[in-house]
Amino acid sequence: MIQAFQEAMDRLGPFEPRPRVAVAVSGGPDSLALSLLLKGWVDRREGELLALTVDHGLRHNAADEAVQTGRWLAARGIAHDILRWCDDKPSSRIQQEAREARYRLLSQRCRADGILHLALAHHREDQAETVLLRFAKGSGPDGLAGMTPLREAPDVRILRPLLGVSRDSLKEVLDAAGQSWIEDPSNQSAAYARVRVRSMAATLAAEGWDASHAADTAKRAGRAREALELASAALLARAVEVWPEGCALVRPDLVGAAPDELAARVLGRCLAAVGGGGYQPRLDALERLRASLRVGSAVQGTTLGGCVVTRYRDGRLLIAREPAAIIDRIAIEAGATILWDGRFTIRTSTEGAGVVARLGAGFGKADSHLAKLPAVVREGLPVLWREDGSRDLPRFGFPREFNTQEEVRGRGGLTAVFAPPEPVSASAFVVV
């Protein structure tokens, strides 16, 4: 088991010399086993391991369990810290919100500590449940590919080295090490879809569907997804121009002539990036938009995925953020950095302070840069509004274009970096 894990980790490289790795650990058997396995892998490379437990504050004994987990890890020589979700808890979609908060807290901590790799303990049965749940929802190859063992997130590389390992094997690791664990009572609650699917395991196995078959399905679908994403990236490079002001221009002739699956992917990625939400619109909506390109019908003012889709003056398709959908008004201190509208990382100079909100319809005619932009793009741009009523317009760019150590220059001492959670083009789905 240890040798197989070492090889699985090595396949997820490259890693820097003396790698620093974070691991999300709940105190359950899966994440505790991953922590022990990672400790051995990191020690062999003279690296560092940091275990992070997220306390959502949703169960009365969660805080005590987090402390107990820290004691166990400390006894193994593993550094540990607790991250608490202190925001007001939503009244609906609590599972999804808690999951998003967990990833956000973990990613923020990794970024703050300069840690490049975050390991998660999803295993073979988790992958099987994911594939079955997505199949039930009618997913295509993207969904049936399940979880990828490696995902390049904006702040950290997400690693899942246990996708080929069974739950029982992980418990054997803990038994061999004499390590106890915590059982989460929610893992037995039929209120959750994953638990209901888990309870059907014996019935499904009798029909030939078990975790191994699910893993094979995910691997085949993953290969198909990888190929489609590579082809989509090639089409994006030829057909799409992205502006640092947060919009995209699409050549309808190239996208319209592409196979349906590729065209829908390209349009979906553009809408997800420009919309800033990180999610693509429904496939049926994308297919309708794609069909309009094929027949050459006029697209004027269509709203989809938080975006406005219209024609640019040269005939290309303009995808811009819908100004009326922008609600962020965020106070910012001098020299601070914020994320605005899910799309722009805003940074001010040591003299910049105020409220960042959208520009709206009014702008100075003397600003030749703004005057050249389409109105729908211009009205959705971020601006720093000062207490005296004046405003500062940022200098726009892409990630890595502005060095974080450089003095912020340009209009009003602001920079706005277009860095949405779902970039227009990203690395392809990884199949190991």
Side-chain angles (χ1 to χ4, degrees):
M1 174 64 189
I2 293 176
Q3 180 62 33
F5 177 80
Q6 300 275 333
E7 294 172 357
M9 280 294 296
D10 291 342
R11 286 194 294 269
L12 298 179
F15 295 93
E16 69 275 20
R18 298 184 177 181
R20 301 176 66 212
V21 180
V23 55
V25 55
S26 64
D30 311 332
S31 57
L32 273 175
L34 175 59
S35 299
L36 300 189
L37 291 167
L38 275 172
K39 175 63 173 171
W41 183 87
V42 167
D43 285 350
R44 285 179 176 85
R45 287 156 182 79
E46 299 182 346
E48 299 177 23
L49 178 63
L50 173 63
L52 298 172
T53 299
V54 176
D55 178 6
H56 293 94
L58 298 176
R59 294 189 294 112
H60 71 279
N61 57 344
D64 292 338
E65 292 174 355
V67 172
Q68 177 59 63
T69 298
R71 292 195 191 102
W72 283 333
L73 293 170
R76 304 279 177 178
I78 300 174
H80 175 256
D81 202 358
I82 300 171
L83 310 177
R84 291 182 172 84
W85 186 28
C86 298
D87 299 342
D88 293 337
K89 304 304 184 287
S91 57
S92 61
R93 301 171 63 249
I94 185 66
Q95 271 193 302
Q96 181 175 341
E97 293 290 340
R99 183 167 55 252
E100 292 175 358
R102 177 173 180 257
Y103 279 106
R104 182 171 63 253
L105 289 168
L106 292 168
S107 296
Q108 288 173 349
R109 178 56 184 272
C110 288
R111 178 174 182 173
D113 286 8
I115 295 175
L116 302 180
H117 319 282
L118 171 64
L120 306 179
H122 297 113
H123 49 69
R124 189 174 65 181
E125 283 79 8
D126 290 329
Q127 182 78 300
E129 293 161 8
T130 298
V131 171
L132 187 58
L133 287 169
R134 292 180 180 177
F135 177 79
K137 293 180 179 180
S139 294
D142 282 12
L144 296 182
M147 294 177 282
T148 177
L150 169 63
R151 182 169 69 86
E152 304 280 356
D155 294 327
V156 69
R157 301 171 75 240
I158 305 293
L159 310 180
R160 295 186 178 92
L162 301 179
L163 288 179
V165 181
S166 70
R167 180 185 289 115
D168 289 342
S169 295
L170 295 176
K171 289 184 177 179
E172 290 173 3
V173 169
L174 296 182
D175 288 338
Q179 177 62 60
S180 302
W181 63 80
I182 296 167
E183 289 288 358
D184 185 346
S186 65
N187 289 333
Q188 308 300 322
S189 174
Y192 302 114
R194 282 188 177 273
V195 178
R196 295 194 296 272
V197 168
R198 203 170 299 152
S199 68
M200 299 165 56
T203 302
L204 293 170
E207 298 299 327
W209 176 270
D210 58 17
S212 295
H213 286 92
D216 290 341
T217 297
K219 189 171 185 177
R220 295 189 193 99
R223 289 197 295 259
R225 178 175 176 177
E226 181 183 35
L228 287 168
E229 289 187 353
L230 290 171
S232 298
L235 180 57
L236 280 163
R238 291 186 294 116
V240 178
E241 178 183 340
V242 180
W243 288 3
E245 291 83 8
C247 64
L249 288 166
V250 181
R251 286 188 54 178
D253 56 333
L254 294 180
V255 176
D260 289 347
E261 182 67 25
L262 292 184
R265 283 172 178 271
V266 165
L267 294 171
R269 294 204 71 92
C270 291
L271 289 161
V274 173
Y279 299 99
Q280 298 187 19
R282 291 175 58 89
L283 183 58
D284 54 353
L286 291 175
E287 289 174 341
R288 286 195 296 271
L289 178 58
R290 185 257 184 277
S292 70
L293 300 183
R294 171 173 287 179
V295 300
S297 63
V299 177
Q300 195 66 32
T302 299
T303 57
L304 180 60
C307 301
V308 175
V309 184
T310 186
R311 291 282 182 178
Y312 190 52
R313 56 177 175 261
D314 63 1
R316 286 183 292 176
L317 203 67
L318 172 64
I319 299 178
R321 179 74 163 110
E322 183 181 3
I326 300 173
I327 60 174
D328 274 2
R329 292 183 59 86
I330 304 177
I332 187 170
E333 301 293 331
T337 301
I338 62 170
L339 177 65
W340 184 81
D341 193 40
R343 302 178 295 144
F344 288 103
T345 299
I346 308 290
R347 188 165 69 250
T348 65
S349 69
T350 55
E351 299 178 355
V355 174
V356 180
R358 70 182 177 94
L359 174 62
F363 74 101
K365 293 290 186 181
D367 193 306
S368 59
H369 174 69
L370 288 183
K372 294 177 181 178
L373 295 173
V376 67
V377 175
R378 183 172 59 238
E379 292 175 13
L381 294 179
V383 174
L384 177 69
W385 297 91
R386 296 182 179 272
E387 289 185 0
D388 61 6
S390 63
R391 67 190 177 196
D392 291 343
L393 304 173
R395 185 167 57 116
F396 293 93
F398 293 111
R400 298 186 179 88
E401 184 172 335
F402 301 118
N403 189 300
T404 56
Q405 301 301 320
E406 77 172 1
E407 180 181 354
V408 179
R409 302 184 302 272
R411 302 179 182 88
L414 265 74
T415 58
V417 178
F418 181 51
E422 182 76 7
V424 173
S425 185
S427 56
F429 189 88
V430 175
V431 181
V432 174

